[in-house]
Amino acid sequence: MKTFELVRKDIPARFNEYNALDRNWMRYAATLQGLIVPPYEVLIHPSSSCNLRCSWCIGEHVPNAEEWRNAENSNIIARDAEVVREGMFLPNRLSDPAAMMHLAEGIVNYKKTVTILTPQGPVNEEFKVETVSFSGLIGEPLSSRKALVPAINYLSKNNVNVGLFTNATILEDDAIDALLRAEYVLISLDADNADTYAKLKFGGRDHGKKLFAKAIGNIRKLVQMRNDYGSALKVNASFILYPENYQELLSAARLAKQMGVDCFRLKQDNSGSKRLSEKQANEAKDLVARAKSELNDEKFTIVSIHKNLTIEETLRDFTQCQITDLMAAVGSDGCLYPCNYHPRPGGVNYGDAAHKSTAFQEVWEGKKRQELKRNLPSICPPTCDPFKNRANKMMQPLKAAHVAEGLQAARVIFENIGV
């Protein structure tokens, strides 16, 4: 077993699979012993609506081939500030503040004590949800701002770490104020200028240029307010490498650093639909190396989520999904799903987790979930996000060791992986 195949030590702790499992080892031990405990993180999609029209939207590549063909034949409807793809979105139930608050309350109130058998004897441990991340497969979370902001405030007040993935174009003052109590925000940048931004994220229309200016202005405002208030919020930016923009990654990283961003995350297209050619990938890797050499310091870090920019880094590489017992996902319809790539029309869900304050725990521990998750990943979409792919690959030998020799054997292998 080669360490470099399983552990990415260059990825910050929050997004590092080894550190995440190390922090949650006893929770993982409980699941290995067949116990049901709260997930350490819940990913919530507050909306299926978005004010952008990204040409590479990952959500449009998650459905299977037949569903994708149907989606290609559907209409694209533009109305007011949002773009809705017919056949590609779930109902926006979580835009209702009451439904969102039911979900938030259910997460906060879900605490459970279980007895774990360790080499030192039985240990009683209480578990709760540690982090809630608001993101979107297709939708922009802030499209449901009236429900989202109170939820962020409520979760933060109840000592739940909060993260937000956003394009930052509709980041209003109330959301900025709420984020000052959050753990992190990850902002999709993907360009260093208004023209490229409009081309890639708004169909080339002129309004896309105004949205780029709005996003940049909002990032600067967020960083300034964070600094003024002494907030611990980590402001991160992401840049997905495509043939249309990879040559801008160095200048985009410079822009991010100049704005006060903490971490600049580089990825390739996880769906594989807009891949770099071999020549482009080599050019991109040279630019990444130059950017890291020039810009990385104690206040700013560039991280390559995909290091080699090969198709192998995007392919699912595990036979059992164990991370699904440690991380939950809720779609904009309020239903609980196996992971954040499932919330889509026709996707597999475990039931409604937002209709009352106790629903989250009931669905998480329910019979339907226990039955359906046995079929993972065979019932999963064809792609898996990089963190979960790496985590599941790392956890496979741990589970095998636990079955064969017990928890201590699994821990020994885990510690050797981290050496």
Side-chain angles (χ1 to χ4, degrees):
M1 184 184 305
K2 298 179 180 179
T3 298
F4 70 85
E5 292 179 344
L6 299 178
V7 177
R8 289 289 308 277
K9 293 184 178 181
D10 58 314
I11 295 178
R14 173 64 185 77
F15 300 100
N16 181 298
E17 63 279 6
Y18 185 88
N19 289 340
L21 190 55
D22 194 30
R23 292 194 311 272
N24 291 281
W25 179 258
M26 290 299 284
R27 194 186 308 258
Y28 178 52
T31 66
L32 286 175
Q33 294 177 14
L35 303 172
I36 303 174
V37 294
Y40 77 84
E41 181 169 359
V42 180
L43 299 105
I44 299 174
H45 296 177
S47 177
S48 283
S49 300
C50 188
N51 63 316
L52 296 182
R53 184 63 173 95
C54 296
S55 60
W56 63 80
C57 180
I58 183 64
E60 295 186 357
H61 297 276
V62 169
N64 62 39
E66 181 179 356
E67 290 169 331
W68 174 235
R69 284 194 296 271
N70 292 337
E72 283 184 317
N73 294 327
S74 68
N75 295 323
I76 297 171
I77 303 173
R79 61 171 185 258
D80 300 326
E82 71 175 19
V83 177
V84 177
R85 275 81 73 197
E86 282 189 352
M88 295 301 298
F89 64 96
L90 294 171
N92 288 330
R93 257 189 80 221
L94 292 185
S95 63
D96 175 6
M100 179 68 85
M101 192 54 67
H102 281 154
L103 177 61
E105 290 171 350
I107 290 169
V108 166
N109 294 330
Y110 186 16
K111 299 178 177 68
K112 188 173 183 180
T113 300
V114 298
T115 301
I116 301 168
L117 303 179
T118 75
Q120 293 75 36
V123 174
N124 292 327
E125 288 274 343
E126 182 183 71
F127 298 101
K128 65 175 185 175
V129 175
E130 305 289 344
T131 300
V132 170
S133 296
F134 294 99
S135 62
L137 191 64
I138 288 179
E140 159 58 42
L142 288 169
S143 295
S144 295
R145 192 179 84 252
K146 290 182 179 180
L148 176 61
V149 169
I152 292 175
N153 288 329
Y154 173 80
L155 292 165
S156 298
K157 182 180 178 180
N158 284 277
N159 301 312
V160 177
N161 296 320
V162 175
L164 173 68
F165 293 68
T166 178
N167 61 45
T169 60
I170 51 176
L171 185 60
E172 303 295 340
D173 287 350
D174 58 344
I176 290 178
D177 181 69
L179 286 174
L180 296 180
R181 290 174 287 279
E183 181 184 15
Y184 72 92
V185 61
L186 180 61
I187 298 166
S188 175
L189 191 58
D190 303 324
D192 75 342
N193 66 84
D195 288 334
T196 300
Y197 189 91
K199 178 182 179 182
L200 294 179
K201 299 174 84 89
F202 211 72
R205 299 190 293 279
D206 284 343
H207 186 63
K209 300 176 184 179
K210 296 178 182 178
L211 290 173
F212 177 76
K214 185 70 173 175
I216 297 301
N218 285 340
I219 294 171
R220 294 185 189 278
K221 186 174 184 179
L222 176 63
V223 169
Q224 185 63 55
M225 290 187 68
R226 176 198 64 180
N227 295 343
D228 289 346
Y229 284 85
S231 167
L233 176 72
K234 293 296 183 183
V235 179
N236 309 311
S238 68
F239 190 100
I240 303 180
L241 300 168
Y242 290 101
E244 299 90 340
N245 71 345
Y246 76 95
Q247 293 177 323
E248 298 176 12
L249 76 87
L250 176 57
S251 52
R254 288 172 179 158
L255 173 62
K257 183 172 183 177
Q258 187 270 331
M259 290 190 293
V261 167
D262 298 293
C263 180
F264 191 70
R265 300 176 71 216
L266 295 164
K267 294 175 63 177
Q268 64 176 324
D269 171 29
N270 206 44
S271 73
S273 63
K274 290 175 71 70
R275 294 189 48 76
L276 299 179
S277 67
E278 183 177 355
K279 178 176 181 295
Q280 291 169 336
N282 289 331
E283 291 175 0
K285 284 187 283 189
D286 289 342
L287 285 170
V288 171
R290 180 180 170 187
K292 290 181 177 180
S293 175
E294 176 185 322
L295 300 174
N296 275 3
D297 57 31
E298 67 279 1
K299 293 184 178 180
F300 181 78
T301 305
I302 298 172
V303 173
S304 301
I305 303 301
H306 298 111
K307 295 178 67 173
N308 301 316
L309 303 180
T310 61
I311 191 170
E312 286 76 19
E313 289 180 286
T314 66
L315 298 177
R316 184 161 55 234
D317 194 17
F318 57 88
T319 56
Q320 287 186 312
C321 184
Q322 297 183 68
I323 197 69
T324 192
D325 284 325
L326 303 179
M327 301 179 73
V330 180
S332 64
D333 58 352
C335 291
L336 190 62
Y337 289 83
C339 79
N340 56 315
Y341 275 18
H342 274 270
R344 60 191 175 92
V348 173
N349 78 73
Y350 303 134
D352 184 354
H355 70 282
K356 60 180 181 178
S357 299
T358 58
F360 182 86
Q361 179 176 356
E362 291 172 2
V363 176
W364 180 257
E365 297 190 3
K367 183 178 179 181
K368 183 177 181 181
R369 176 174 174 267
Q370 305 315 311
E371 291 176 346
L372 285 175
K373 72 187 183 73
R374 297 191 189 103
N375 298 318
L376 304 177
S378 63
I379 60 173
C380 290
T383 189
C384 184
D385 81 47
F387 173 86
K388 294 183 178 65
N389 200 16
R390 297 193 310 267
N392 277 316
K393 182 179 179 180
M394 179 182 67
M395 294 159 81
Q396 283 186 154
L398 307 183
K399 185 170 184 178
H402 178 264
V403 171
E405 301 180 61
L407 187 61
Q408 183 61 28
R411 183 67 194 186
V412 168
I413 290 178
F414 178 68
E415 291 176 352
N416 287 336
I417 289 173
V419 172

